[in-house]
Amino acid sequence: METTNIPQNVIKAILYIIALDNLQLSVGSSGVGTHKWEDWHWIITESAYVTSLRLILDPLKELYASKTNITTGQRDTVRKNIKLARDYSGYGLTGHRLLIKIAGFGNDNDWTVANIKFGTPLAKKPGKGKSESTAMLKPVLTLNNNKIGEMEIGVASPEAPSVIRLPEGMRFAKVFRCISTTKPISTDAFVLYGNAKRGKMHVTFDGIDLSGTEKLYAWFYGIYESTKGELGQASGMISAEILF
């Protein structure tokens, strides 16, 4: 791989960068106050670059897709910044090798969102037929927002993390939640919160007693359900402190 895994299609490239930014800013392996980008051994300027890139491209996404309302200058801005992103995060001698770091220090979910196979176990997984697709698919969950009394959970397809729509044959992703002061030791502690169809789940904490002195955390995982009612495998868990 000479450059990066950023898609050649411009809209897909923008969605990829948005998904990568959501992931790199999500809670890291050491818990609240840490971030994924630290797990990957990125430095703070590398994290800030991806976020700044997202802030430039995200507002231009709909304009670029319309093809008629975008100006030549805005179109050039989009293309130039995507090219710079490839150079910045690329595998060449002058790049920061951001995806190589994810390959070396990330996990299965990280590799899936970043579309990394080379140098990871994903490159060695055999292909699966459609009859096995439900059993093999795991949604990729990320923390999009964490505000007082509410959170937004991103629910992405492992086959195309930057695409909002569900994978073919899936009815929705079932999102389960557990509220605890410590990490749950099994999925038995979780209850179904709701079904996500459009790539995200808005979560509130109505009726939850938040008056205690200990910090409370919300833990989430997801499972796909197919149009035939078949359930897939549980995704990796994500968590965040409940703000109140």
Side-chain angles (χ1 to χ4, degrees):
M1 296 185 298
E2 295 179 354
T3 55
T4 72
N5 293 353
I6 299 174
Q8 293 299 314
N9 177 277
V10 171
I11 297 300
K12 289 182 178 179
I14 295 174
L15 293 173
Y16 174 95
I17 289 164
I18 292 171
L20 184 61
D21 188 49
N22 286 337
L23 180 62
Q24 66 112 354
L25 294 176
S26 65
V27 178
S29 61
S30 297
V32 176
T34 65
H35 302 88
K36 276 284 187 180
W37 61 265
E38 295 171 286
D39 291 346
W40 302 334
H41 293 209
W42 286 10
I43 59 175
I44 193 168
T45 53
E46 293 169 339
S47 168
Y49 173 75
V50 174
T51 298
S52 68
L53 183 65
R54 186 248 186 93
L55 293 175
I56 292 170
L57 296 176
D58 199 355
L60 297 175
K61 177 174 80 269
E62 299 299 331
L63 283 175
Y64 197 98
S66 73
K67 297 182 181 180
T68 56
N69 296 326
I70 192 167
T71 67
T72 300
Q74 289 170 325
R75 185 181 293 107
D76 290 344
T77 295
V78 170
R79 291 175 174 172
K80 179 183 74 175
N81 277 280
I82 291 175
K83 182 182 183 301
L84 289 173
R86 291 194 177 98
D87 294 340
Y88 185 94
S89 58
Y91 297 93
L93 294 177
T94 59
H96 284 236
R97 300 180 174 87
L98 297 188
L99 300 190
I100 280 184
K101 293 177 182 178
I102 299 176
F105 301 104
N107 58 31
D108 190 275
N109 277 350
D110 302 340
W111 302 328
T112 301
V113 172
N115 191 28
I116 299 170
K117 293 184 175 64
F118 183 77
T120 76
L122 296 186
K124 302 175 184 178
K125 290 184 177 179
K128 299 294 178 181
K130 285 190 175 180
S131 62
E132 300 175 278
S133 60
T134 302
M136 294 304 299
L137 284 177
K138 298 180 184 180
V140 178
L141 270 58
T142 56
L143 179 66
N144 290 352
N145 287 300
N146 188 9
K147 302 177 182 178
I148 294 177
E150 62 182 272
M151 296 178 186
E152 183 181 280
I153 305 301
V155 185
S157 164
E159 297 178 327
S162 59
V163 177
I164 292 175
R165 68 177 180 271
L166 291 163
E168 183 179 356
M170 298 301 109
R171 180 182 286 120
F172 40 63
K174 305 172 80 68
V175 177
F176 294 80
R177 183 181 75 176
C178 173
I179 295 175
S180 175
T181 57
T182 58
K183 183 177 181 179
I185 59 174
S186 77
T187 57
D188 293 341
F190 287 75
V191 296
L192 177 65
Y193 185 83
N195 298 321
K197 291 185 177 181
R198 299 294 297 169
K200 60 185 177 181
M201 169 72 71
H202 182 246
V203 177
T204 61
F205 300 95
D206 299 336
I208 304 297
D209 183 8
L210 303 176
S211 60
T213 56
E214 286 191 277
K215 292 182 179 180
L216 282 176
Y217 299 87
W219 300 80
F220 302 90
Y221 75 89
I223 292 177
Y224 278 124
E225 181 174 326
S226 75
T227 53
K228 297 180 180 179
E230 301 166 322
L231 295 178
Q233 296 186 60
S235 71
M237 285 191 291
I238 64 168
S239 68
E241 182 182 352
I242 301 172
L243 305 178
F244 60 95

